[in-house]
Amino acid sequence: MTDTVTDINSIEDDDVLQKMLNKTDDFDERKKLRSRIREIRDKKRDEREADTKKRDLGRQDEIKRRAQLADEEKKARLKKFEEMAKTHKDESLVQKTDFVKRKAMEDEAAKQRKLKAFEEEAKHSRGGEIGKFSEDVQKMKKEQADKAKATQLQAFENIAKDEAFEKTIKDVTADDGRTTTVLKTSSKTTSSTTGFGGTQFTKKPPAKPQGARGAMAAFKQMDSQNAPKTKPNMLMALPLTAIRRNANSIKQEILSFVQANIREYENIEVKNFSSAWNDGMAFCALIHHFFPNAFDYSKLEPKNRRYNFTLAFDTAEKEADIAPLLDVEDMVRMLKPDWKCVFTYVQSLYRGLRNREVNMHKPEQ
């Protein structure tokens, strides 16, 4: 008996113990076998629960590790963006500085040309009074040029200090030989004209006490007679609301045309240019209204979408010479087709069928 107990306790396979239980009829032995089977199964269950818990802990650790990696990657990306932004800012500052220096050199060259012209004028003056007058004119013009240069340099320095400044420069030469430099920023647009009397700003922005705009306004007051006048752009003056209103009225007119001509067809309701046309029945109804002998509308079913699209497009092309602007396979593939594509084709149907309707109702002569 003791050997039997020892053998049972050494067995770890519950299937073996179950076979032994089926073969024996001894009550005590069967009781011990059942007890041993329960022990083995409880042990296996505990092991499975321990493994499950271990895997759960491993998954949690993996989730934490991935979250940590994501945070580190996010920080690294943000740091990289900050460095890129700083580099871009430095490059913008260099561009602003170069622009100011270039404009200063151009103004100095213009000043020298003007002074040379004044000297030539003084040399060729006739008589003492005329020569004296020329010298006074030369002195006055030199003072005006110096003053214009100083004011302009201050204006460009203020522009360079403006953080919202974005460099967009365009030089335009007019018929009178003057060069116009257009400066565009994210919040303002100004233009300066270099001519005989110095630099004038031809487009005055809203008044501002200090800064680049105030300097530009001062330039304009120096020589308003030389400021170029531009004609208003009548196309740009057209109100945007009028354009939108016109487009909406066209869409509504075409939609009303469709609704009026498919009113007698049951279970078809067209309120848009997308989902209302996705089974081809609306196309077929519209075509059938104008060509009732082309096909038997009563035999059509919404589920036969490919057949409906093919029938409508082919009939419109055959009977009314309206090109099939939509592709059957594209319409079958999309339950909510692109309204712009559908509208374009329906608009062509509207033009072709409406002309036919007008001709039908036109009295015979």
Side-chain angles (χ1 to χ4, degrees), residues 278 291 357:
N278 65 354
F291 307 101
E357 184 179 33

Side-chain angles (χ1 to χ4, degrees), residues 31-45:
K31 182 178 180 181
K32 293 175 181 179
L33 286 170
R34 289 192 184 95
S35 177
R36 179 57 180 164
I37 291 173
R38 282 195 299 271
E39 290 178 0
I40 292 174
R41 290 178 178 175
D42 291 342
K43 181 179 179 181
K44 289 182 178 180
R45 185 181 65 252

Side-chain angles (χ1 to χ4, degrees), residues 8-21:
I8 292 175
N9 292 333
S10 62
I11 297 175
E12 298 294 336
D13 193 344
D14 56 343
D15 292 335
V16 176
L17 293 173
Q18 186 65 40
K19 292 179 181 179
M20 294 174 62
L21 179 64

Side-chain angles (χ1 to χ4, degrees), residues 323-364:
L325 303 179
L326 296 177
D327 184 72
V328 174
E329 296 301 325
D330 290 342
M331 294 298 294
V332 172
R333 188 165 51 250
M334 296 182 292
L335 293 178
K336 190 175 182 181
D338 186 356
W339 76 267
K340 294 185 289 294
C341 297
V342 175
F343 174 76
T344 302
Y345 181 58
V346 175
Q347 188 179 27
S348 66
L349 292 175
Y350 167 77
R351 291 172 179 171
L353 300 178
R354 185 171 180 273
N355 293 335
R356 179 181 178 83
E357 184 179 33
V358 172
N359 294 332
M360 290 173 58
H361 292 85
K362 186 180 295 184
E364 297 182 0

Side-chain angles (χ1 to χ4, degrees), residues 38 72 114 120 128 140-141 146 165 182 273 277 282 305 314 332 336 338:
R38 282 195 299 271
E72 292 176 356
K114 293 174 185 177
E120 292 294 331
M140 180 184 66
K141 291 185 176 180
D146 291 338
F165 178 81
V182 179
F273 290 100
W277 304 81
R305 299 173 63 231
D314 291 348
V332 172
K336 190 175 182 181
D338 186 356

